Amino acid sequence: MPMVKAVIFDMYETLITLFESPLYFGTQMSVDAGIDERDFQAIWEIAEEDRTIGKITLEEILEKILKVNGCYSINKMNFIVKKRIQCKEEAFENLHNEIVPMLKLLKEKGILIGLISNCFSEEAMVIRKSILFPYFDAVCLSFDEGLQKPDLAIFNRCLEKLNIQAGECLYVGDGGSSELEAAQLVGMKAVQAVWYLKEGTSQATKRKPEFEQLETPFEVFNFIKG
């Protein structure tokens, strides 16, 4: 492949994982809300796309769920919001031990670093405040951009921010949201990050043998000359 000038990463299950700390998804939130999970998920899951592309915040969707189910209080909503944010923050405390050294070495080599992540309002906030955020030269968060993977437009937008061509870019992701296929269609070299993938968990993504797989973060450098 041509010389790599930039590496664009996915965030969840690539740079960080949500499965090394207590989960706080709809199932767990419904318990704290005191709402039957089916009733909670009936609104929460339907709103996933709107939550992802910036049409509704965590606070707004929770307020709606609690009010529809007749159990709204500001204290209950704030409790759930705080717990959700803490869960998202904790994920940055359980990084693979090569993540930060790998990002530092990319910077030392003069390689640009991009981020494309499907995320909700609370995740976008946590990402921007995280220890990883300063390493990125270009960031496309779906909540901010109004676009989500696998829409090719969000990949092209990140390339524009980095001011590079697709053929000069390596895309690294766990493979969720058909991201590897989309990156490949745009013209990037796409590889699958599998260091966080574990058999027997509730992770939705599995190994994709049609893509080269990276067992550790430092294997990124197998695709970078010099």
Side-chain angles (χ1 to χ4, degrees), residues 100-165:
V100 171
M102 177 265 294
L103 294 174
K104 285 182 177 179
L105 187 54
L106 285 172
K107 301 297 276 188
E108 290 172 10
K109 288 179 174 290
I111 304 296
L112 296 171
I113 302 174
L115 173 69
I116 303 175
S117 179
N118 285 357
C119 60
F120 312 127
S121 62
E122 69 279 14
E123 294 175 329
M125 178 190 70
V126 170
I127 288 170
R128 286 192 291 266
K129 293 180 178 180
S130 75
I131 62 171
L132 299 185
F133 195 75
Y135 290 100
F136 303 124
D137 297 292
V139 173
C140 286
L141 304 180
S142 65
F143 185 84
D144 297 332
E145 303 293 334
L147 297 166
Q148 64 176 322
K149 295 181 287 188
D151 191 329
L152 302 189
I154 197 168
F155 292 85
N156 284 319
R157 189 169 294 180
C158 195
L159 288 170
E160 289 170 8
K161 290 184 178 185
L162 290 168
N163 194 29
I164 62 165
Q165 300 298 311

